[in-house]
Amino acid sequence: MANVKQDAILGAVFFAAIALLLAATLLLTNFSFRERPKLEVRFASASGLEKGDAVYVLGRRAGEVVDVAYRPDNRSHRIVATLQFDEQLVLKSDASIEIIDANLLGGKRVEIEPGQSATPAPTGTALLGLVRKSPIDALGDELQGDDSLVSGLKTAIGKLNEGDGTLAQLFNTPKLHDALLTAIDSVNNSLKAIQEGRGALGRVIHDQRM
């Protein structure tokens, strides 16, 4: 009789452990018996986005990417990302969807701004998303091209060498150059006199009686 009771207790403990493991698995995988809403968004490039990457709405995690597919039927937006949400999402006509860097170490995520317009997003048309450039890519753009920082610096140096502009004339005209050096020497002498307590201003600063 004691053996039967002991076996019954062990069996109950075993099945309870199995039930706990199953519950933990369902919680960790966000499993739900109800169908979760999905949304398809087209992008010009996947930019490294992969299945399982997080989807955020206004900075709050709201789902994940369940598929990233190549669709050549649209020449400008050949990547279709399927997003799955934990709850229903209502998009407005001014909504924006972007692929951005997840963190500085790499990885991607989808960031959604649902919009604030009074009119909802049009139905029956494909949603188009954008790919936000990383800080490194943005810096590269600033250093390249005709309107880049490097190009502007080269132009400024060229004008300086050619004597074009006020600064160039200051460096290239002897009289202006000498006048600038004289003014700098005068300022230095005045500061030195003040430090040594000479002159009216120097006496005011250093003489406690004054």
Side-chain angles (χ1 to χ4, degrees):
M1 187 68 181
N3 291 334
V4 175
K5 186 176 181 180
Q6 186 178 7
D7 292 341
I9 294 175
L10 291 175
V13 172
F14 174 77
F15 285 111
I18 294 296
L20 289 175
L21 288 174
L22 180 61
T25 302
L26 295 179
L27 289 175
L28 292 175
T29 57
N30 293 324
F31 180 82
S32 177
F33 289 103
R34 63 182 178 85
E35 185 177 358
R36 298 170 64 189
K38 293 182 180 180
L39 185 69
E40 286 191 352
V41 185
R42 285 185 173 269
F43 295 93
S45 170
S47 188
L49 187 70
E50 297 179 351
K51 180 179 178 180
D53 287 341
V55 176
Y56 282 75
V57 176
L58 295 175
R60 180 181 69 91
R61 178 157 184 160
E64 65 275 341
V65 179
V66 296
D67 187 46
V68 180
Y70 169 68
R71 304 278 180 81
D73 56 297
N74 189 313
R75 291 186 177 181
S76 59
H77 294 78
R78 292 173 289 181
I79 296 296
V80 177
T82 303
L83 315 179
Q84 183 171 265
F85 298 91
D86 301 330
E87 56 190 21
Q88 190 64 41
L89 176 65
V90 179
L91 296 178
K92 302 298 184 178
S93 59
D94 58 343
S96 63
I97 305 175
E98 291 183 307
I99 297 176
I100 67 174
D101 288 341
N103 50 60
L104 295 177
L105 299 179
K108 296 292 182 178
R109 80 183 197 196
V110 177
E111 182 70 36
I112 298 178
E113 159 59 62
Q116 298 180 343
S117 174
T119 58
T123 58
T125 58
L127 291 174
L128 303 181
L130 301 174
V131 178
R132 186 187 302 177
K133 291 184 177 180
S134 67
I136 295 178
D137 292 336
L139 179 60
D141 292 342
E142 288 295 328
L143 298 177
Q144 297 177 358
D146 296 335
D147 297 330
S148 66
L149 182 63
V150 174
S151 177
L153 184 60
K154 288 181 178 179
T155 301
I157 294 176
K159 290 184 177 181
L160 185 63
N161 292 331
E162 295 172 359
D164 187 12
T166 303
L167 186 60
Q169 293 178 8
L170 180 62
F171 280 102
N172 295 320
T173 303
K175 291 183 179 180
L176 292 177
H177 182 267
D178 295 341
L180 178 61
L181 292 180
T182 301
I184 293 176
D185 289 339
S186 177
V187 171
N188 288 333
N189 292 332
S190 299
L191 292 176
K192 185 176 180 181
I194 293 174
Q195 291 175 350
E196 296 175 352
R198 294 186 285 108
L201 184 57
R203 290 197 301 271
V204 169
I205 293 177
H206 292 279
D207 195 332
Q208 296 182 357
R209 293 174 302 175
M210 295 184 66

